[in-house]
Amino acid sequence: MNIDLTFLNPALISIFKQPDQIITLDANFIIPPDRSKYAEKSFDFPLFRQVWLDPIFQAFSNLAIHEAVYDELVMPSEQSYIQAIINDRPPRLIVHKDSELTSEEQVIRGSIEKRIYPFTKYDPLLDNKDDRGEVKSLAYLAVKGLLYFAAHDSNAIQLVERAEELLTGLDNVQVIKMYELIFYLYINNIGNKKALRMLYKYQYHLTQFEQKTNPKWRQFVEAMENLYHGLL
């Protein structure tokens, strides 16, 4: 994925100022990335939890996932970690459930889903798992008027950023990318900075193409600081 260091993301500015807003996570924010075909090592769950999950749950008090994303958690370590956070009192993770929508909201949700799914691998008739989580998440957010969807998948991001062009009905949803939250954690001294650098390199500066198109870690941090200077 390419990093855009020219675009000011109003969603990032907003959560810097008010981090207790609801931020709904796509599955790739919870499931460890596997880019082992490009690297000798990959992130196992304990490392991903230490580097990423524990810091973001420390940073934000109103993180959420859709129930379809919860269903994508197949590893026992992922399931037990997320379930423990849900079971906390008060819960540290909100679960969006379609069954809790009103009948009117169900109709609107279905209409928006019909607009979204043709641009994905999800087929409502088959109810297959491919892209199911992101389709269900985005349709729910649009219906409930929830603003922020945090994603690393480029297709999910395009569904939001090109909403007007694609007529997806997601015009009021705003996307927050993983590198933006890596920067958030770094600037706020949440988590281990060397570990965040490692995660950044793994996600954005691993392949030859990425090394040509995306900045190195230090250049990334400095460019983000300059881009958002005085706004955070």
Side-chain angles (χ1 to χ4, degrees), residues 87 121 157:
N87 291 340
K121 297 177 182 178
I157 292 170

Side-chain angles (χ1 to χ4, degrees), residues 1 19 27 48 73 79 112 120 122 151 163 168 193 219:
M1 177 186 291
F48 192 60
L73 308 179
Q79 293 174 342
I112 294 174
T120 73
Y122 177 63
T168 58
K193 290 189 173 182
Q219 295 170 334

Side-chain angles (χ1 to χ4, degrees), residues 2-13 157 160-162 173-177 179-180 183 220 223-229 231-232:
N2 290 348
I3 290 178
D4 186 352
L5 293 173
T6 64
F7 170 70
L8 277 169
N9 187 351
L12 181 61
I13 296 172
I157 292 170
V160 176
E161 293 187 337
R162 298 175 59 198
V173 178
Q174 300 179 47
V175 71
I176 303 171
K177 300 163 188 173
Y179 68 80
E180 292 172 331
F183 175 70
F220 163 72
M224 290 289 282
E225 288 176 329
N226 291 332
L227 185 62
Y228 289 93
H229 179 70
L231 297 173
L232 305 179

Side-chain angles (χ1 to χ4, degrees), residues 101-125:
L101 296 172
T102 66
S103 56
E104 292 81 3
E105 289 173 334
Q106 290 279 9
V107 172
I108 298 170
R109 187 210 63 78
S111 174
I112 294 174
E113 183 177 296
K114 288 180 181 178
R115 299 189 200 181
I116 297 173
Y117 87 82
F119 301 104
T120 73
K121 297 177 182 178
Y122 177 63
D123 185 340
L125 294 178

Side-chain angles (χ1 to χ4, degrees), residues 67 95-103 105-106 140 144:
E67 58 188 343
V95 180
H96 300 316
K97 297 181 179 180
D98 288 342
S99 61
E100 296 175 352
L101 296 172
T102 66
S103 56
E105 289 173 334
Q106 290 279 9
Y140 186 96
K144 299 299 288 186

Side-chain angles (χ1 to χ4, degrees), residues 47-66:
L47 179 59
F48 192 60
R49 171 180 176 172
Q50 176 186 352
V51 172
W52 177 247
L53 290 174
D54 287 346
I56 64 169
F57 278 102
Q58 177 186 343
F60 304 106
S61 59
N62 277 313
L63 294 178
I65 58 171
H66 190 275

